Amino acid sequence: MSESYKSAGVDVEAGYEAVKLMKQHVSKTFIPGVLSDIGGFGGLFEIEKLNYDRPVLVSGTDGVGTKLKIAFIMDKHDTVGQDCVAMCVNDIACSGARPLFFLDYVAVGKNRPEKVAQIVKGVADGCVQAGCALIGGETAEMPGFYPDGEYDLAGFSVGIVDKNKIIDGSRTKKGDVLIGLASSGIHSNGYSLVRKLFNLNGNEDDKKLARYIEALGCTVGEELLKPTRIYVKTLLDLIEKFSVNAVSHITGGGFIENIPRMLPDGLRAKINKGSWEVLPIFKLLQDLGNISERDMYNTFNMGIGMLMAVEASQADEMLKYLKDKQENAFIIGEIIEGDNGVDIC
């Protein structure tokens, strides 16, 4: 043990203990193809046996953002890892790709092994939901950079898809129906605004988050810390069974920025308000800040976390299939001719 390094605020023994504690969570994510355990210099994954004719690797990276501030206040750290995984693997799945593996990066002010293990537990839970392996990562202790008790969390994932099965929006056409999959809540974007609206500035924040709101059916903190839904298995199942022409993950930028990303030139998305359930948390946020409707749709997912453009002839059948599987899904609009963009009416 380096006493000199420890005197500077970095405890390497705590790092060893954190790795020991997280191994039980990491091991449950292992899938065929994993060739290494955590602790090496690189995560190894073999793709040769996956039986892809023309394999294309698809990657995605993201972090949790200032939603972490809610976890700090509540001292609850076992769900934000799922947020980190979700923000990466949901993006990958939009291309029709199956996530293979994930790596995380945790930067802490003070390495407290039990807390780091809880963070990684959330990452591992997310990987299990996505069907991918957690094959590595990094925990960096950075005293003087992050305050004791705070941390940042980011990660990246790599997936795979056959080249002829890539979903890039090129097959999208006028008349395609838009089917949305429900979100679990705010997911992981817009939290700088959320914290401002709830006046989370350090003064009795724990009491504010402990306030029960009947419309939400839970406390403010419980609502704000609900983890991002992982849509991977549902989405890949639908792509296998139906004609899915385009997919959009509704994250930062909401409807207005994300939906056009899945559309070719000359097509617009027409969204029909009232065709799905806008979750109570969004109505509450809009009222708290007197926020314009455009700003709401340009910031939040409004209750729709994933959107697909599908063949009109298959839309009703897909909706029935989803509801038979207890998936909360809605026909919320259609593709029309026009400049690339979104009409919400």
Side-chain angles (χ1 to χ4, degrees), residues 176-189:
D176 281 354
V177 171
L178 297 172
I179 293 183
L181 300 178
S183 69
S184 56
I186 302 172
H187 285 181
S188 299
N189 57 276

Side-chain angles (χ1 to χ4, degrees), residues 77-267:
H77 310 282
D78 61 346
T79 61
V80 289
Q82 178 176 324
D83 288 296
C84 190
V85 174
M87 298 303 285
C88 299
V89 298
N90 284 342
D91 279 356
I92 286 174
C94 288
S95 299
R98 167 195 164 198
L100 296 176
F101 56 82
F102 186 87
L103 284 85
D104 61 8
Y105 176 80
V106 186
V108 300
K110 177 70 175 177
N111 191 341
R112 303 192 182 280
E114 294 79 9
K115 181 182 289 186
V116 172
Q118 284 296 295
I119 297 168
V120 174
K121 175 187 181 299
V123 174
D125 289 344
C127 287
V128 169
Q129 290 186 39
C132 66
L134 176 57
I135 63 170
E138 171 71 10
T139 301
E141 190 171 21
M142 302 170 66
F145 196 88
Y146 294 99
D148 187 6
E150 296 194 3
Y151 55 86
D152 199 6
L153 174 61
F156 81 92
S157 186
V158 173
I160 191 168
V161 62
D162 258 322
K163 188 172 183 179
N164 64 345
K165 294 183 178 179
I166 293 173
I167 295 176
D168 58 8
S170 60
R171 298 194 303 268
T172 310
K173 60 187 178 303
K174 177 184 175 182
D176 281 354
V177 171
L178 297 172
I179 293 183
L181 300 178
S183 69
S184 56
I186 302 172
H187 285 181
S188 299
N189 57 276
Y191 272 82
S192 294
L193 176 57
V194 169
R195 290 185 298 110
K196 177 183 178 182
L197 296 176
F198 281 106
N199 192 27
L200 299 175
N201 55 16
N203 296 320
E204 297 188 332
D205 285 347
D206 54 342
K207 293 181 180 178
K208 297 170 187 174
L209 292 178
R211 182 162 60 98
Y212 182 88
I213 295 182
E214 187 172 352
L216 301 178
C218 61
T219 67
V220 173
E222 288 169 341
E223 179 67 35
L224 299 189
L225 212 54
K226 284 180 179 176
T228 306
R229 277 199 64 191
I230 292 176
Y231 297 95
V232 171
K233 292 181 179 179
T234 296
L235 188 54
L236 295 183
D237 180 42
L238 294 174
I239 290 169
E240 185 70 25
K241 293 179 171 63
F242 299 93
S243 296
V244 178
N245 293 333
V247 185
S248 178
H249 183 202
I250 311 301
T251 56
F255 278 49
I256 292 172
E257 290 186 25
N258 286 292
I259 295 176
R261 294 167 64 185
M262 75 176 189
L263 301 176
D265 290 341
L267 294 178

